[in-house]
Structures are given as C-alpha cells and as structure tokens.
Amino acid sequence: MPHPVPNDRIERLLAAERQLYRDRNPVSAGLAEKASRHFPGGVPLHWMKDWGTPFPLAVKRAAGAEVTDADGHVMADFCLGDTGAMFGHAPGPVVDAITAAAPRGLTAMMPSEDAGAVGALLADIFALPFWQVTQTASDANRAVIRWARAITGRAKILVFQGCYHGQVDDTFVTIGADGQTTVRPGLLGQAVDLAATSVCVPFNDIDAALAALAGGDVALVLTEPALTNTAMVLPKEGYLDALAAACRAAGTLLCIDETHTISTARGGYAKAHGLAPDFLVVGKPIAGGLPAAVFGFTDAIEARMRAVDAERPAGYSGIGTTLSGNMLQLAAMRATLEAVMTEAAYVHMLALSTEVADGLSASIAAYGLPWSVTRLGARAEIVHSPTPLTDGAHAYRTVDHDLEGAIHLFLLNRDVIVTPFHNMTLVSPATTPDHVARLVTAFDQALDALSG
C-alpha cells in the first residue's frame, strides 16, 4: 500500500462526502437528470463523468480563476479545464478579440489577416520558424507522426510508458508483464496491433531508448518533457539532452509535446531548457480556451516536408481538417500570444505555484504522511510517494484512485477544484493568494479527516 490511510477510513470519508455533494447540489442534480435523456451519463463528453461525483456538476459561469456552479457555489479553480484554461477562464483580451472577430466571419478555409502576426509570435515565443494550426493537440500529434513517417520512410514511433498525447492511436501502448510493447488495457475498439509500429520504453532510461533506436527503423520519438498522464514524472538531469543526441545519431526525428508542460515557462519546457526538437506541439491554452493547437518545426524539417509533398500524387494528404486555422482561432490565438501568455503572467503563476507546493507539502509533513509534491512551473501535483517518481511504472504503483477521489471530492465540497485525476493543481494569472490559502486550508482539513 503506497499510503498509511486505512481503506475503511477512505470509504467512510467518500460516503460522507458523496452525501454532502448531493445535499449541496440539487440544481445540478436536476440538470444532470434532464441532460441524461439524450447525453449518456448526462454529459456531452464521457470524460466529464470522471470527476467521481454522484452526478455531474453543472457550470453556470467560469471567469478568471473561479467557477460558479448551477447551485451558486463560487469555487477556486485549480483544474482550469485540465490546462485548457491555464491562463484563466475567458481572458479579457481573448473575449474582446472573439467579440470583434465573430461578426467578420468564423471560418472560410482561407487564412485571415492575423496569420502573419500569429506566425511571427509563435516563432518568437517558441523558437521554431515554421508552424501549422490544428483543432486539438491530438490532431497536431497525428500530423507530426504522419509527417515524420513520410520524411524518414520509416514506420515506427517511440513513446514512453505513462505518456500523454491525446486521442492518438499510435500512442495507446504500454509495457506488458513480459517487458514487450502491448496495447494499453481498457482501450476501446482497437482493431490492429499497435505494437507492430509503436515501441514503448520506460521514461528516464536512456539505455532502453538507445536499444529501441538501434534498429534504425524508428521515424519519431514523441515525448512530453515530463510525464503528466500518470502521477507527474520529471526528467532526470541530462536525460532529455541524451535522448535528443540519440535521436540525431539514429536519424530519428524528435517531437516535444508541450500539451501540459506549457506550464513551465513562456515558450514551454523546451525553450526554457534549451532543447532543440525537430517538432514541437502546443495545445490546450494556446487560444485562451478556444479549441486550437499548433505544431512547429525547424527549417530543415520544412524543407524535407516540401520535398516529400512535391513527390506525392495530387489528392488528400491525410493531414488537416477543414476548421483548422479558422479566422476565429487566429484572432483568439493572436490575443493570447500578445496579451495573455506574457512574461508577467508567468512570473505571477510561478510564484503562486511555489506557495501552493510549499503549503501542500507542509500539510503532508504535519500529518507525517509518506507523500510529496512534484512541481513543474505553474503545475503542482500531490504524489503518494516520499521520493520523486522515476518512470511510468513507478507512477502507476503509487496511484490509489479511492484515496485521490476522496481528497478531490472533499476539496470540491469546500469550493476548491483540482483535477479529478492525480489531484493536480494549476495556477493562472487570475489566481490570488486567497485562492491558494483556500486550497491549502481545505487540503489540510482533508488530511485531518483522513487521519481520524
């Protein structure tokens, strides 16, 4: 057991908090019942059932770092749409840009007048010269994988156990009991063996990566700079530099997926740490919460993309969707890059995230629990391990879904929202010291309740 809290105590707390949730949220209960007549589980996306609540919580309004639910509770939001609203809900400059742009048209399958400005901003902020826009980071990763295979003439991609790359078929693999790559358990509707073209190895193990690259058949290594789909795993000192060198030696392209690690700094983890990937994916908050993502690439990659594109027959490339790069996206993205994703915003976010991590750590220490807090920029996460996690397998061993659920629901009932998985927190430019104090106090109360 990765924690000293007895299971029966967790179960009692869960039962009490579920009843409190029902008592607090009669309007949400009614709305969920109505929605369930046409949406399974009462939600338009099945992930919205994953909050561990008796019924979905309906949002009435989200602004800045606060969410007001249908029953009128005003909650400090440290989930922020799981990074989609990392710069706060409805940032003023983005709302103004959308309001001004919408009457001029939403989409036309042609570039708007904002395209040049957005491209220049992306190049400056993320230190890559060329970019493309997609609807989601999943779309961006799929495009990168297809381009990498086309450029290299190789079929395989390499990912790491516990990675997050959205809804991308090729990445739904893990390491089986026999040490071989296998399809992730629980994957629905999978008809082909992903292990035929995807290789999964442990994060932070450079020897494993070198062995997988030695065959010369891997087109792309796709990785987050820190794993975020499990409990958070940070890279060991020098690991990512060694991985990049291994890719260059093997003729394999490298893509850094900053879907979640954009919390690190303005320009993301790659820029902050001097990485030089062939591709970079940025999603979630790039347009202030409006659905959008981008992938960037080097001069050399752009030249190779042009070469393979010139050689193929005319027709659909399999890359891109009609709404990608639409007029409204570009307007929101420009406002985000110019006025929201600023150095000043990150200074504020990183300072308060340090207070979050310190406060949570102090509570953990006060109750003598063998847990810790892992932090990456504006992101901080409670980890049920006294030492930093080393790889995906280590992270899996620490996870206790009931314990995480009990803490999450306890906080939610005290008007504090954290992610419903791994109890991760994010700080936005709109987050205040009062929000942080509310989180730390509620977490301390949760530990008191669990301690008996």
Side-chain angles (χ1 to χ4, degrees), residues 233-318:
V233 181
L234 301 182
K236 293 179 180 177
E237 183 72 28
Y239 173 71
L240 293 175
D241 290 330
L243 179 64
C247 287
R248 288 192 295 270
T252 297
L253 302 179
L254 174 63
C255 178
I256 297 295
D257 180 355
E258 298 262 19
T259 301
H260 288 147
T261 59
I262 188 64
S263 65
T264 307
R266 187 172 185 267
Y269 189 103
K271 185 177 181 181
H273 292 268
L275 302 179
D278 300 290
F279 293 96
L280 184 80
V281 168
V282 186
K284 303 274 191 177
I286 195 69
L290 197 72
V294 293
F295 64 97
F297 39 97
T298 63
D299 290 293
I301 291 297
E302 190 273 338
R304 295 175 75 177
M305 290 165 72
R306 277 190 287 108
V308 299
D309 195 41
E311 293 174 357
R312 71 180 180 88
Y316 186 49
S317 65

Side-chain angles (χ1 to χ4, degrees), residues 398-450:
T398 69
V399 173
D400 185 304
H401 294 294
D402 287 341
L403 177 60
E404 289 180 353
I407 294 172
H408 174 267
L409 189 53
F410 188 99
L411 297 179
L412 192 62
N413 282 335
R414 277 104 188 133
D415 297 331
V416 176
I417 308 174
V418 298
T419 60
F421 29 81
H422 314 308
N423 291 327
M424 183 273 295
T425 69
L426 272 172
V427 167
S428 81
T431 304
T432 67
D434 179 67
H435 293 137
V436 173
R438 198 188 313 178
L439 165 64
V440 172
T441 297
F443 179 65
D444 193 80
Q445 291 170 346
L447 296 190
D448 185 64
L450 286 168

